[in-house]
Amino acid sequence: MTLATPFGTVLTAMVTPFTEDGAVDLDGVQKVAKHLVDHGHDGLVVSGTTGESATTTVGEDAETLAAVKDAVGERAKIVAGVGTNDTRTSIELAQQAEKVGADGLLLVTPYYNKPGQRGILEHFRQVVGATGVPVILYDVPGRTGSAIGLEVYREAATWDTVVAVKEAAGNLPRGSVLLDLGYALYSGDDALNLAWLAHGASGFISVAGHVTGDLLRAMHTQFTSGDVVAARQTYARMLPAIDAIMGVPNYGATTAKAALELTGVLDNRVVRSPLVALDDVELEALRAGLQASGLL
């Protein structure tokens, strides 16, 4: 069976680099985008959680998306994160992304206000209906406080432009149901990437991919070509790096930016408050994990 891959197979939710004074560093944005596409990626997610979208403005998101499209848009699918906890803002972001030329939209459940399933469905309906751009629904209840129910998935599967799910709820058995509903499935949890492949996922939307892109590509190729033993060995090699990147409370932008600094892609690890950059102890733990995976 050939799996649907509407947005490629190896994607990373890329960081949004900042200058030392906290402004968006568009040169850094393009540098990271090119680094990722040069190292195994055929898709990128811009202004997702790891892109610190909760603290960037609508205008900054437009500039960032345009910079990525200009840098690598002919080499990779570009997905724009448009999920917020305000439906009007998400509609504005979705329409803006369509104008800039995004290949897809990543739509997370509204966070903090914790709507019920009818509210989540209505939010999705309004945002999806505002553009003709293909959509990935994003389920990450550990961050949002709300999970997408099967009744929402069943209804949204009937909408023409909703084509994929980024699954970060860790619900492997439900993945089979989502596949049967017609969704392409993307792993949203690096620790479960190999497991999701075994359950029929098309690929990954990673955080560790900032530094493990070539290994993710190798693992995907090995698994899909039938060499499961080699895929497991590649997965095992990545585990120290994955554990280190996910091993601090404010993982994501903080650890990904620090990893990019350690590998020489970025020259700082500035994040926006309320996130704080890794301290020296956390940085050394990250360094040790990357070294154990052979990435430094």
Side-chain angles (χ1 to χ4, degrees):
M1 180 179 67
T2 301
L3 294 174
T5 56
F7 306 102
T9 54
V10 177
L11 298 85
T12 279
M14 63 173 279
V15 299
T16 304
F18 300 130
T19 60
E20 292 287 354
D21 63 0
V24 173
D25 177 5
L26 294 177
D27 289 338
V29 166
Q30 293 194 322
K31 187 174 183 180
V32 171
K34 291 175 182 177
H35 160 76
L36 293 172
V37 175
D38 287 343
H39 292 278
H41 289 71
D42 54 2
L44 301 175
V45 173
V46 181
S47 298
T49 306
T50 309
E52 297 176 72
S53 58
T55 57
T56 56
T57 67
V58 172
E60 287 173 333
D61 288 352
E63 293 174 342
T64 302
L65 178 60
V68 173
K69 284 286 293 183
D70 183 59
V72 299
E74 294 183 356
R75 301 169 59 199
K77 297 287 188 180
I78 310 301
V79 177
V82 300
T84 74
N85 64 346
D86 173 37
T87 304
R88 293 172 300 176
T89 301
S90 289
I91 289 172
E92 181 180 5
L93 287 168
Q95 292 174 336
Q96 172 178 270
E98 184 174 40
K99 290 177 182 177
V100 175
D103 299 299
L105 306 176
L106 182 70
L107 182 57
V108 73
T109 51
Y111 42 83
Y112 183 71
N113 39 24
K114 294 181 69 174
Q117 294 303 309
R118 287 196 302 117
I120 291 171
L121 181 62
E122 185 57 28
H123 174 78
F124 286 169
R125 188 191 309 277
Q126 291 186 44
V127 179
V128 169
T131 80
V133 183
V135 174
I136 309 172
L137 301 181
Y138 181 17
D139 196 14
V140 57
R143 284 189 178 273
T144 65
S146 299
I148 303 174
L150 275 177
E151 64 270 33
V152 173
Y153 278 126
R154 289 190 179 101
E155 175 64 22
T158 68
W159 305 341
D160 290 342
T161 56
V162 178
V163 298
V165 173
K166 178 184 177 184
E167 216 291 351
N171 194 334
L172 291 162
R174 190 172 62 178
S176 294
V177 178
L178 299 181
L179 289 168
D180 288 342
L181 288 172
Y183 290 104
L185 193 63
Y186 288 86
S187 169
D189 183 345
D190 279 299
L192 292 179
N193 281 344
L194 183 58
W196 274 119
L197 284 182
H199 279 74
S202 299
F204 330 109
I205 299 177
S206 177
V207 174
H210 283 93
V211 289
T212 64
D214 289 328
L215 293 174
L216 285 173
R217 170 58 59 199
M219 184 178 73
H220 188 276
T221 300
Q222 290 158 350
F223 185 88
T224 55
S225 66
D227 195 345
V228 177
V229 172
R232 191 198 62 77
Q233 291 170 339
T234 303
Y235 170 75
R237 177 182 166 185
M238 282 187 282
L239 279 178
I242 292 170
D243 289 344
I245 288 169
M246 302 302 190
V248 297
N250 56 346
Y251 72 87
T254 54
T255 46
K257 284 183 173 179
L260 290 171
E261 184 186 40
L262 288 172
T263 54
V265 179
L266 291 179
D267 59 9
N268 71 57
R269 55 183 186 276
V270 175
V271 291
R272 282 185 176 172
S273 184
L275 296 181
V276 291
L278 298 190
D279 61 28
D280 290 343
V281 173
E282 292 169 331
L283 186 64
E284 288 310 306
L286 176 62
R287 187 193 306 274
L290 298 184
Q291 288 175 331
S293 290
L295 300 171
L296 289 178

